[in-house]
């Protein structure tokens, strides 16, 4: 889904009221295991279901939320939604992992980590089914306390993912310093046509695999992109080839339409 930016800027009070009214909703995009072809996880993505403008993409309101501090309320709401949906799927006999985006702004607040644990306890979601994706919108200014808090969550079983690797503040050093368990390759790397770029990406994948870190490829839109992820040695893939982000009420259709045989490498059949 593409979003058309509004010509009228969104305001802090408007966003605050939207959070209070529950207009910030979670959509979910599946991740496919490239070995089995099964959907094994979903990423939680925020959308603003605006009563007059329709669905607004995160690019319009997340920067505003970060500037004004509303990201803390919004983030807590998204974590609760993600955990609750994932816990509900356990009850349906389909345990899937859920990834939830968090920003450097959220990580700077000590209460954030307590809120994550509280959400896990309230929803009874096993910590091993939750992954926090650290986005690249801002740099983490004081990495030591963040690393320590993330380590405590990781010790409970929560996964730590570095999102959009290849852009912004991403680096292998940052990946290791934060104790990440997962690396997500940005779509620009997967869709690259340069042999030198692809060779470098393959080397990065091999390096992080040696550290026991899982690799997820984003932006898989075509069969060629899917084949690229296999050549690079990725573990999982995510993109419109499998399914677009969708409301939780339609996840059943997404799971039912999953065709594992279509996503398994021919040599493994």
């Amino acid at each position: 889904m593409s979003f058309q930016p509004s010509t009228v800027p969104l305001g802090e009070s408007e966003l605050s009221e939207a959070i209070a009214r529950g207009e910030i909703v979670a959509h979910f995009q599946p991740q496919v295991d490239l070995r089995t072809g099964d959907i094994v996880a979903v990423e939680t993505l925020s959308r603003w279901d605006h009563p007059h403008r329709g669905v607004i993409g995160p690019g319009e309101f997340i920067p505003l939320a970060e500037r004004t501090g509303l990201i803390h309320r919004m983030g807590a709401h998204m974590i609760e939604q993600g955990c609750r949906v994932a816990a509900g799927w356990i009850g349906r006999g389909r345990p899937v992992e859920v990834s939830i985006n968090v920003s450097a702004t959220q990580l700077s607040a000590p209460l954030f980590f307590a809120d994550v644990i509280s959400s896990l306890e309230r929803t009874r979601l096993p910590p091993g089914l939750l992954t926090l994706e650290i986005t690249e919108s801002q740099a983490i200014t004081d990495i030591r306390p963040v690393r320590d808090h993330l380590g405590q969550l990781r010790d409970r079983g929560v996964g730590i993912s570095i999102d959009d690797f290849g852009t912004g503040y991403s680096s292998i050093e940052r990946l290791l310093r934060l104790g990440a368990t997962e690396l997500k390759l940005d779509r620009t790397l997967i869709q690259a046509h340069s042999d030198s770029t692809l060779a470098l990406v393959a080397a990065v994948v091999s390096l992080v695999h040696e550290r026991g870190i899982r690799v997820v490829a984003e932006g898989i839109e075509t069969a060629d992109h899917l084949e690229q992820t296999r050549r690079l040695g990725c573990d999982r893939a995510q993109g419109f080839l499998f399914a677009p982000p969708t409301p939780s009420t339609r996840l059943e259709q997404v799971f039912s339409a999953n065709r594992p045989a279509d996503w398994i490498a021919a040599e493994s059949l």
Side-chain angles (χ1 to χ4, degrees):
M1 177 186 294
S2 61
F3 303 97
Q4 296 299 322
S6 171
T7 57
V8 180
L10 299 165
E12 178 180 355
S13 61
E14 186 179 9
L15 180 56
S16 178
E17 291 168 4
I19 297 171
R21 291 194 296 263
E23 292 174 6
I24 307 301
V25 298
H27 285 205
F28 300 88
Q29 186 170 38
Q31 293 178 6
V32 169
D33 185 313
L34 291 176
R35 182 180 58 84
T36 65
D38 291 321
I39 294 174
V40 292
V42 292
E43 179 183 355
T44 307
L45 299 161
S46 58
R47 301 288 185 265
W48 184 345
D49 190 4
H50 197 284
H52 306 298
R53 304 185 191 182
V55 178
I56 300 175
E60 282 200 68
F61 62 88
I62 292 297
L64 172 63
E66 290 183 331
R67 289 196 305 271
T68 59
L70 289 171
I71 192 68
H72 300 293
R73 283 174 55 201
M74 184 186 301
H77 177 60
M78 294 300 292
I79 289 171
E80 187 79 12
Q81 284 193 67
C83 289
R84 198 165 296 284
V85 166
W89 278 103
I90 294 176
R92 294 177 174 87
R94 187 190 289 272
V96 293
E97 300 169 31
V98 61
S99 295
I100 302 174
N101 291 289
V102 298
S103 70
T105 304
Q106 291 171 265
L107 293 173
S108 68
L111 286 178
F112 166 79
F113 300 94
D115 288 342
V116 171
I117 294 171
S118 294
S119 289
L120 288 169
E121 292 174 347
R122 278 194 301 272
T123 61
R124 298 185 180 181
L125 179 70
L129 293 181
L130 173 64
T131 293
L132 299 179
E133 291 192 21
I134 302 174
T135 61
E136 295 296 309
S137 57
Q138 297 177 344
I140 298 173
T141 53
D142 190 358
I143 202 167
R144 179 176 293 179
V146 170
R147 180 189 61 202
D148 292 344
H149 284 306
L150 289 176
Q152 293 171 21
L153 290 177
R154 191 177 60 250
D155 289 343
R156 288 172 174 260
V158 175
I160 308 299
S161 178
I162 301 298
D163 195 17
D164 298 332
F165 182 83
T167 65
Y169 305 96
S170 298
S171 70
I172 294 293
E173 179 188 10
R174 186 168 183 265
L175 176 79
L176 299 177
R177 288 181 69 191
L178 290 176
T181 59
E182 178 183 274
L183 174 68
K184 295 192 78 175
L185 298 176
D186 184 71
R187 67 180 61 242
T188 57
L189 298 179
I190 298 302
Q191 299 176 10
H193 298 290
S194 165
D195 290 341
S196 59
T197 298
L198 294 174
L200 180 60
V201 174
V204 168
V205 172
S206 178
L207 175 63
V208 300
H209 274 166
E210 290 176 3
R211 302 293 186 113
I213 297 171
R214 181 174 63 220
V215 180
V216 180
E218 296 183 287
I220 308 306
E221 299 175 358
T222 68
D224 287 342
H225 295 160
L226 180 59
E227 183 56 33
Q228 188 90 284
T229 65
R230 293 196 179 106
R231 288 196 297 266
L232 293 171
C234 299
D235 304 296
R236 296 179 179 179
Q238 174 181 342
F240 277 66
L241 179 64
F242 310 111
T246 186
S248 61
T249 53
R250 299 179 186 171
L251 276 179
E252 180 64 58
Q253 299 172 22
V254 173
F255 287 130
S256 298
N258 184 42
R259 305 177 302 279
D262 292 347
W263 321 129
I264 302 175
E267 58 267 24
S268 66
L269 294 175

